[in-house]
Amino acid sequence: MRLGIDIGGTKTDAVAVDESGALAERIRLPTGFGHAAVVETAVAAVSRLGELTGLAPGGFQSIGVGIPGMVDATSGHVAHAVNLGLDRLELGGMLAGRLGVGVRVENDVKAAALGASHLLGLTGTVAFLNLGTGMAAGIVVDGRLWRGSTGIAGEIGHLPVDPDGPLCACGQRGCLETLASGSGIARQWPTDDPFPVRALYAAAERGDPAARAIAARLAVGIAAAVRVLVLTVDPATVVIGGGLSHLGERLLGEVHEVLHDWERTSPFLASLDLPGRVRLVPEGSPVAALGAALVGEN
Amino acid sequence: MRLGIDIGGTKTDAVAVDESGALAERIRLPTGFGHAAVVETAVAAVSRLGELTGLAPGGFQSIGVGIPGMVDATSGHVAHAVNLGLDRLELGGMLAGRLGVGVRVENDVKAAALGASHLLGLTGTVAFLNLGTGMAAGIVVDGRLWRGSTGIAGEIGHLPVDPDGPLCACGQRGCLETLASGSGIARQWPTDDPFPVRALYAAAERGDPAARAIAARLAVGIAAAVRVLVLTVDPATVVIGGGLSHLGERLLGEVHEVLHDWERTSPFLASLDLPGRVRLVPEGSPVAALGAALVGEN
């Protein structure tokens, strides 16, 4: 049995995965804020899954954690996980000290890429396009995470696609993330609604021209991200996940529409079958926790 | 001894490579135009290297060919090699028939990526950015070509970076290739000079404002291509090759200048050390022929 934990901004998902890679147990906890509370959340998740499975921490074949921010998978060091109140944290070392066993730490998008690839039974080259607060992709090749030389492979959110676009937090202009991410939408469509992107879609449906324009740019930004991934790493499948993916089939339909429009003016793009490569992550699947359980397995 | 042939638009380079991977022999022939003449050129190259090494075709450990266009490395089928007068050609099969041994065929940019990576002794993830008539990259991981799911990994020339940019031959607007390729320069700076890009640089040096603007866009386009490669496949080194790389240190200096400018406004980009990753392919090295000799070795 393997154990995987996905520490998110407000909630923590944790799963136990059996020998065959199937989900055996799944729990959810609120995430604490700050260094000590984040460590306690992870310890509590291991303890609770230990009760459900009857296993001590050392009884699991492996324990892995997915967490936002800059993660050094070798050392277990986490930096810049702003939503969790973490500047720098030796998460791997601290958890190993508390649990008495080694713990693997991975960036949550990379963990989700591995989990989604496993859950959907995808082989070969797979990209997982995460549309959360920011935009980033995780790449999986033959069932293994592809990190690149310095761990930034797939950081496509900061690729500019319009020199006259809005200023991005990264200091560049017109990055993909300014079009197609939670933060990009929030900047264009300020609202108190707890689900800002659903509010945007509702306003677009009511015919609000500003909302329609923002929703259209969102679809174009996602389509452009798919094009970037295909023309660089050439994945057979691009799985769309993250908070914005809860918009579901409607979002997918709009992205397909943009891709089909492009095909009408570019025979080159048409030859790539971009629409046929895109799919949504199954709603409600704990892909990042699942991936965290599998990180380092292969 | 392995044999590699690089069939270019006007000339064909061919090399014999010894057990240690070092260049043993090197020849150059004019390339014939059209199906029959291209096959004859390759046969002549094998024959000439056979005389120099004393080996019959079957005496080489392997024979590989790099050629422009869409290449199916499995079948040896070549399509759309317009400059060679080839629409469709079963090059692998025809050469095997003529020579009595199997021949591997690969796209010339991919072969050059493998050759450059080998020549420079680069390990890990390497990108070779080819600036020829078009723009494309070849990606090498741990000494092996990375083709992606459908063989189009690295086709970054057709990534748009400006929605208001010029129309590209692919049907999109503002593709990287419209800024940073021989065809992109030719469209902006028509000339009868046999070395159009050198003529452009000379005019820019004389202070011609149009030439200076085009040369500046060239450097920005190359810098943007480096950024795309780093934020997707994260190579430790991006080797710049192809016809435009003959501009040498001056071109590299201008690209470095753009990358350093970007670092001043984006701490994120500064953290990636883009300037430190870029280098030129050694002038005059037959990297595509060398790579063709090594294709399929590993």
Side-chain angles (χ1 to χ4, degrees):
Chain A
M1 200 82 88
R2 298 173 182 280
L3 192 156
I5 306 174
D6 170 31
I7 302 180
T10 55
K11 58 180 181 51
T12 289
D13 275 320
V15 299
V17 177
D18 70 17
E19 289 296 303
S20 73
L23 221 59
E25 300 287 349
R26 175 179 179 180
I27 61 164
R28 176 170 284 190
L29 302 170
T31 303
F33 188 82
H35 292 204
V38 164
V39 172
E40 286 313 316
T41 302
V43 170
V46 174
S47 163
R48 184 88 190 86
L49 281 171
E51 288 163 21
L52 291 170
T53 57
L55 292 171
F60 291 98
Q61 198 181 334
S62 66
I63 300 181
V65 176
I67 190 164
M70 302 272 288
V71 175
D72 181 331
T74 309
S75 69
H77 181 89
V78 180
H80 305 304
V82 183
N83 292 341
L84 299 174
L86 303 184
D87 181 26
R88 300 182 155 279
L89 177 62
E90 300 292 343
L91 183 60
M94 293 195 70
L95 284 177
R98 286 293 299 276
L99 299 170
V101 294
V103 173
R104 294 164 178 150
V105 184
E106 187 49 271
N107 168 270
D108 60 346
V109 173
K110 289 193 172 72
L114 195 60
S117 173
H118 174 81
L119 184 74
L120 297 169
L122 301 170
T123 54
T125 305
V126 178
F128 177 82
L129 176 59
N130 193 72
L131 305 172
T133 307
M135 175 203 278
I139 300 159
V140 177
V141 179
D142 297 333
R144 301 176 62 169
L145 271 176
W146 162 279
R147 292 184 178 82
S149 297
T150 61
I152 58 134
E155 283 292 340
I156 62 169
H158 298 295
L159 282 174
V161 290
D162 183 355
D164 298 321
L167 195 63
C168 179
C170 78
Q172 303 184 93
R173 273 199 181 278
C175 290
L176 284 172
E177 186 165 298
T178 65
L179 297 172
S181 71
S183 60
I185 299 291
R187 195 160 27 212
Q188 298 175 77
W189 187 258
T191 171
D192 293 334
D193 194 291
F195 302 107
V197 186
R198 283 192 194 167
L200 171 77
Y201 259 52
E205 213 147 75
R206 288 193 306 270
D208 182 301
R212 291 177 76 139
I214 296 166
R217 281 197 291 273
L218 168 61
V220 168
I222 298 171
V226 171
R227 178 174 54 191
V228 163
L229 289 167
V230 171
L231 290 178
T232 53
V233 294
D234 187 17
T237 309
V238 179
V239 182
I240 297 180
L244 269 61
S245 70
H246 298 314
L247 293 168
E249 292 300 331
R250 183 167 161 202
L251 180 72
L252 188 63
E254 297 203 0
V255 172
H256 272 167
E257 213 169 289
V258 173
L259 295 172
H260 284 301
D261 273 354
W262 289 353
E263 291 187 338
R264 279 187 274 277
T265 52
S266 174
F268 168 72
L269 286 185
S271 76
L272 305 178
D273 185 25
L274 298 179
R277 299 189 192 218
V278 182
R279 60 187 290 183
L280 290 170
V281 75
E283 175 78 31
S285 336
V287 285
L290 180 60
L294 302 174
V295 160
E297 178 192 19
N298 28 33
Chain B
M1 200 83 89
R2 298 172 183 280
L3 192 156
I5 307 173
D6 169 32
I7 301 181
T10 56
K11 57 179 180 54
T12 289
D13 275 320
V15 299
V17 177
D18 70 17
E19 288 296 303
S20 73
L23 221 60
E25 300 288 349
R26 175 178 180 182
I27 61 164
R28 176 170 284 189
L29 302 170
T31 303
F33 188 82
H35 292 205
V38 164
V39 172
E40 287 313 318
T41 303
V43 170
V46 175
S47 162
R48 184 87 191 86
L49 281 171
E51 288 163 20
L52 291 170
T53 57
L55 292 171
F60 291 98
Q61 198 180 333
S62 66
I63 300 180
V65 176
I67 189 165
M70 302 271 290
V71 174
D72 181 331
T74 310
S75 69
H77 182 88
V78 180
H80 306 303
V82 182
N83 292 342
L84 299 174
L86 303 183
D87 181 28
R88 300 182 154 279
L89 176 62
E90 300 293 342
L91 183 60
M94 294 196 70
L95 284 177
R98 285 293 298 278
L99 300 170
V101 293
V103 173
R104 295 165 178 151
V105 184
E106 187 49 270
N107 168 269
D108 59 345
V109 173
K110 289 193 172 72
L114 196 59
S117 172
H118 174 81
L119 184 74
L120 297 170
L122 301 170
T123 54
T125 305
V126 177
F128 177 82
L129 176 60
N130 194 71
L131 305 173
T133 307
M135 174 204 277
I139 300 159
V140 177
V141 179
D142 296 333
R144 300 177 63 170
L145 272 176
W146 162 280
R147 292 186 178 82
S149 297
T150 62
I152 58 135
E155 282 294 339
I156 62 169
H158 297 295
L159 282 175
V161 289
D162 184 355
D164 298 321
L167 195 63
C168 179
C170 79
Q172 304 183 94
R173 274 197 181 279
C175 289
L176 283 173
E177 186 165 299
T178 65
L179 297 172
S181 71
S183 61
I185 299 291
R187 196 160 25 212
Q188 299 174 77
W189 187 258
T191 171
D192 292 333
D193 194 292
F195 303 106
V197 186
R198 282 192 194 168
L200 170 78
Y201 259 52
E205 213 145 76
R206 288 192 307 270
D208 183 301
R212 291 177 75 139
I214 296 166
R217 281 198 290 273
L218 168 61
V220 168
I222 297 171
V226 171
R227 178 174 53 192
V228 163
L229 289 167
V230 171
L231 290 179
T232 54
V233 294
D234 188 17
T237 309
V238 178
V239 182
I240 296 180
L244 269 62
S245 70
H246 298 313
L247 293 168
E249 293 298 331
R250 183 166 161 202
L251 180 72
L252 188 62
E254 297 202 359
V255 172
H256 272 167
E257 213 169 289
V258 173
L259 294 172
H260 284 301
D261 273 354
W262 288 353
E263 292 188 337
R264 280 186 274 277
T265 52
S266 174
F268 169 72
L269 286 185
S271 76
L272 306 177
D273 185 23
L274 298 179
R277 299 189 192 219
V278 183
R279 60 187 290 184
L280 291 170
V281 75
E283 175 77 31
S285 337
V287 285
L290 180 60
L294 302 174
V295 160
E297 178 192 18
N298 29 31

